[in-house]
Amino acid sequence: MEVTIPILNQLLLDNSYKAINNEEFSNKIKQIFNRIIDRNSNSKFLYINFIDQCDKQLDFFPNDAENNGVFVVKNQNFITDLTSRLYRMEKAKS
């Protein structure tokens, strides 16, 4: 996942994504998802599970009826359903 984050970040910037500062991003995540980004944590990602809001573990399964969520990339200030996309891309190759 860490290898693809710079690529996703550049794609966002190339497509007019307007980066926001840490405080503004943290406030938006709190407002929209009711989750707090711990900037002191060693974790680079925060997983937001839409099905089980109490589940705070990183879930690398593709989104489906039982797994549905997004990753917050804390040091780049964006969200992605990255693993779901990567899984679909890998499936398409086989």
Side-chain angles (χ1 to χ4, degrees):
M1 198 160 133
E2 289 187 39
V3 172
T4 59
I5 296 302
I7 297 166
L8 289 173
N9 189 44
Q10 191 58 51
L11 283 170
L12 287 169
L13 294 173
D14 290 348
N15 287 284
S16 302
Y17 173 73
K18 293 182 183 354
I20 58 177
N21 65 42
N22 288 349
E23 182 179 356
E24 190 175 359
F25 184 72
S26 294
N27 288 340
K28 290 285 185 188
I29 295 298
K30 172 69 174 150
Q31 177 185 19
I32 296 167
F33 300 111
N34 198 29
R35 291 290 298 275
I36 296 171
I37 296 177
D38 181 1
R39 298 286 178 177
N40 296 319
S41 164
N42 290 335
S43 174
K44 295 179 183 178
F45 311 103
L46 170 70
Y47 182 70
I48 298 175
N49 186 327
F50 297 138
I51 296 173
D52 181 1
Q53 294 179 356
C54 294
D55 182 5
K56 306 228 187 305
Q57 290 199 1
L58 294 179
D59 183 350
F60 295 103
F61 293 105
N63 285 340
D64 60 19
E66 294 179 9
N67 298 297
N68 193 0
V70 293
F71 288 90
V72 175
V73 184
K74 293 170 25 176
N75 61 346
Q76 299 290 326
N77 292 346
F78 68 87
I79 61 174
T80 181
D81 65 340
L82 175 65
T83 57
S84 176
R85 293 179 193 281
L86 290 176
Y87 180 80
R88 285 193 292 264
M89 287 168 39
E90 285 300 315
K91 285 286 263 190
K93 287 181 186 177
S94 34

